[in-house]
């Protein structure tokens, strides 16, 4: 940053001297200032491509240089991790992240699919499966019950059968006949409310003890204030017990958002903010 600032200062000084020159000497020194600022800048930009060298580490953190490196699609391939990593959304290629597991030829893969997909089209999974089969040629998927059937027909079945909780498909690793095949199973669980979960009253939050030790815990709810009194808790409880799971909506992260701001799409296909907040909750 300081380097950029110095360069800009030199450049501006040079330009001013050059533009409002009073003598020939001004002209030459103005030119020299501009030249040196351009030279420093070019050197710094060029050196930033070698920022994996220890003395040049600092250059990889300059925002302007980062933009230039991104624009030129510059990536470092090395044994040692670089100073800076760009983390992007997996949605660019594979939202499900199963490709890496398929590359490792995992025998059992469990995919929890929580993409925003209220109509169960499974577009994200279809895209990944197509990429794995057609582009990467890593593996083939097949219907475990009838391998002659197109595997995508299974996905259509799942969409139509609203009582299905999950589905599984076979994986055959290896593409060419020279590769030794191996087999695996992909289990898919999606955020949907199956038929037998309809008309359920809202349940209290799961507690750590319940998950860890399977011990039932007293019903409790998160009020907005966090330290709400017992009578207030009971009030929340009664109001929420009148609701059904599929009525829960809202944009917020605590139970009172369901009581007073119960708008937007409903569980389990909440809006982005609601879904995020539920995760944090
Ligand atoms: C729907 O899914 C359920 C649960 O997996 C299964 O028992 C049922 O046979 C399926 N229905 C049809 C029509 O395939
Ligand atoms: C849920 O309730 C509705 C009416 O409120 C009823 O039509 C439906 O059959 C019920 N579903 C189940 C699975 O009990």
């Amino acid at each position: 940053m300081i380097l950029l600032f110095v360069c800009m200062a030199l450049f501006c000084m040079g330009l001013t001297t050059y533009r409002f020159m009073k003598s020939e000497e001004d002209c030459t020194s103005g030119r020299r200032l501009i030249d040196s600022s351009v030279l420093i800048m070019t050197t710094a930009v060029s050196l930033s491509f070698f920022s994996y060298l220890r003395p040049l580490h600092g250059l990889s953190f300059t925002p302007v240089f980062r933009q230039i490196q991104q624009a030129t699609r510059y990536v470092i391939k090395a044994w040692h991790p670089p100073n800076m990593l760009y983390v992007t959304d997996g949605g660019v290629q594979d939202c499900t992240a199963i490709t890496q597991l398929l590359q490792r030829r995992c025998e059992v893969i469990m995919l929890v699919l929580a993409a925003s997909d209220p109509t169960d089209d499974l577009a994200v999974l279809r895209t990944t499966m197509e990429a794995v089969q057609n582009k990467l040629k890593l593996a083939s998927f097949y219907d475990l019950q009838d391998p002659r059937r197109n595997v995508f027909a299974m996905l259509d079945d799942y969409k139509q059968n609203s009582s299905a909780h999950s589905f599984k498909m076979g994986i055959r690793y290896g593409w060419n006949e020279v590769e030794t095949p191996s087999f695996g199973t992909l289990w898919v669980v999606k955020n949907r409310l199956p038929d037998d979960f309809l008309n359920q009253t809202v349940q209290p939050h799961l507690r750590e003890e319940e998950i860890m030790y399977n011990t039932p815990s007293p019903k409790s709810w998160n009020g907005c204030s966090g330290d709400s009194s017992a009578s207030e808790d009971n009030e929340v409880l009664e109001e929420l017990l009148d609701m059904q799971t599929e009525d829960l909506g809202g944009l917020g992260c605590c139970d009172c958002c369901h009581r007073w701001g119960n708008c937007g799409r409903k569980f389990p296909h909440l809006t982005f903010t609601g879904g995020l907040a539920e995760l944090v909750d």
Side-chain angles (χ1 to χ4, degrees):
M1 243 16 246
I2 296 170
L3 191 77
L4 279 181
F5 188 73
V6 170
C7 270
M8 283 322 285
L10 273 180
F11 190 81
C12 292
M13 253 169 65
L15 204 64
T16 329
T17 331
Y18 188 69
R19 190 100 173 71
F20 307 106
M21 55 177 170
K22 299 204 181 70
S23 62
E24 205 160 299
E25 211 173 288
D26 273 357
C27 175
T28 340
S29 62
R31 262 196 171 173
R32 213 172 285 150
L33 281 175
I34 293 180
D35 282 353
S36 48
S37 75
V38 170
L39 189 72
I40 295 177
M41 199 61 197
T42 325
T43 319
V45 171
S46 321
L47 285 180
S48 73
F49 286 94
F50 299 94
S51 58
Y52 51 85
L53 298 173
R54 190 165 278 275
L56 304 175
H57 271 2
L59 290 177
S60 61
F61 297 105
T62 314
V64 179
F65 293 168
R66 282 213 317 262
Q67 296 298 325
I68 294 173
Q69 295 192 343
Q70 272 179 312
T72 52
R73 295 178 154 227
Y74 168 75
V75 281
I76 298 173
K77 280 188 187 171
W79 288 110
H80 300 289
N83 308 317
M84 169 139 338
L85 283 177
Y86 301 107
V87 180
T88 62
D89 191 301
V92 178
Q93 276 193 333
D94 169 19
C95 251
T96 65
I98 59 169
T99 308
Q100 286 90 335
L101 299 174
L102 291 167
Q103 275 168 338
R104 292 179 205 153
R105 294 192 166 213
C106 289
E107 230 168 85
V108 180
I109 300 177
M110 178 159 158
L111 168 63
V112 179
L113 202 56
S116 169
D117 178 16
T119 47
D120 295 328
D121 293 324
L122 302 165
V124 166
L125 180 61
R126 282 172 199 267
T127 313
T128 306
M129 285 168 66
E130 271 162 19
V132 165
Q133 296 185 131
N134 304 343
K135 239 170 79 191
L136 302 169
K137 300 192 193 303
L138 271 179
S140 326
F141 298 98
Y142 62 94
D143 184 346
L144 284 165
Q145 249 120 50
D146 182 357
R148 289 167 299 185
R149 193 163 81 123
N150 188 326
V151 67
F152 289 101
M154 272 177 59
L155 306 192
D156 292 339
D157 279 355
Y158 176 77
K159 179 183 164 108
Q160 274 151 22
N161 186 353
S162 52
S163 52
H165 289 212
S166 64
F167 61 97
K168 60 177 172 177
M169 61 178 95
I171 312 167
R172 181 196 182 276
Y173 293 111
W175 192 258
N176 300 313
E177 52 182 0
V178 286
E179 291 176 63
T180 357
S182 57
F183 298 88
T185 315
L186 172 65
W187 285 89
V188 183
V189 183
K190 190 186 166 290
N191 61 337
R192 75 167 5 177
L193 207 59
D195 281 347
D196 49 342
F197 280 55
L198 290 178
N199 300 357
Q200 277 188 356
T201 49
V202 175
Q203 299 294 308
H205 298 282
L206 280 173
R207 305 242 137 219
E208 193 178 333
E209 308 89 69
E210 278 181 271
I211 299 170
M212 303 281 291
Y213 313 111
N214 200 19
T215 47
S217 73
K219 294 190 170 189
S220 73
W221 304 85
N222 285 351
C224 276
S225 56
D227 56 356
S228 45
S229 64
S231 65
E232 219 176 294
D233 272 356
N234 278 339
E235 206 181 299
V236 179
L237 181 67
E238 270 165 32
E239 242 178 85
L240 282 179
L241 278 178
D242 284 343
M243 294 178 85
Q244 295 187 340
T245 323
E246 61 265 37
D247 298 331
L248 292 178
L251 302 170
C253 56
C254 57
D255 296 331
C256 63
C257 304
H258 300 312
R259 293 164 69 204
W260 295 309
N262 201 28
C263 55
R265 288 202 312 217
K266 300 293 183 272
F267 182 83
H269 303 292
L270 298 171
T271 51
F272 172 71
T273 50
L276 201 66
E278 295 287 335
L279 277 179
V280 174
D281 205 18

